[in-house]
Amino acid sequence: MPRPLGELEDAVMTRVWQWNRPVTVREVLEDLQQERSIAYTTVMTVMDNLHQKGWVRREAEGRAYRYTAVSTRAAYSAALMNEAWSTSDNPAAALVAFFGMMSAEQREALRDAVRVVQYDDESGAEAPAQPRAEAPVEPSAEPAAPADGDPAAAEGDPAPAEGQEESAEHPGPAGR
């Protein structure tokens, strides 16, 4: 099962996912140096660690390697959510609390995802992509607060989620 990436691992993987092509340590280093002072050997070690953990694969190109993500950010995020949910002693309450933290846009994305999964279950085929209408969305009832008074659910909406990736390949290395 996946473990959350560390801060620097996440910064490196973010670039690999965003660029969606094989990248070198030098490319990642130069991009990271726009935000912070960091050594080449540090980035090289992080990328080697990500390779050892199974998050990236690499191919030799001359004296350097080119690294490619093994899964998408969406698959990584989904695996983390599944891991967190599966460890709850009350999965239904955990979902209610999670839904209560979502913004209206995140809840609409969830409704869309459920429709895709339901369509897939009913027909055995993937749901056709349909453009979303720009018409106003009917207001929906807010999810009930968790019965146990979880303070996290009462804190309001978190920051909006990152943009969604188009595919959700396998969630990363097995057993991590």
Side-chain angles (χ1 to χ4, degrees), residues 138-174:
E138 292 182 34
S140 61
E142 292 294 320
D148 63 356
D150 181 7
E155 291 178 11
D157 292 342
E162 287 187 39
Q164 297 173 311
E165 282 84 3
E166 292 180 7
S167 70
E169 298 169 9
H170 64 86

Side-chain angles (χ1 to χ4, degrees), residues 9-12 19 21 35 55-56 63 67 80 95 97 122 135 146 162 165:
E9 289 175 323
D10 185 65
V12 168
W19 294 335
R21 62 173 172 75
E35 298 172 4
W55 288 105
V56 294
R63 292 179 22 178
Y67 294 85
L80 289 177
L95 284 174
E122 292 169 5
E162 287 187 39
E165 282 84 3

Side-chain angles (χ1 to χ4, degrees), residues 54-55 57 70-72 75-76 79 168-174:
W55 288 105
R57 64 179 148 264
V70 170
S71 69
T72 64
Y76 166 72
E169 298 169 9
H170 64 86

Side-chain angles (χ1 to χ4, degrees), residues 16 20 29 54 77-78 86 91 93 102 111 143 149 155:
V16 175
N20 197 27
L29 170 73
S77 297
S86 68
M102 295 175 125
R111 284 186 205 95
E155 291 178 11

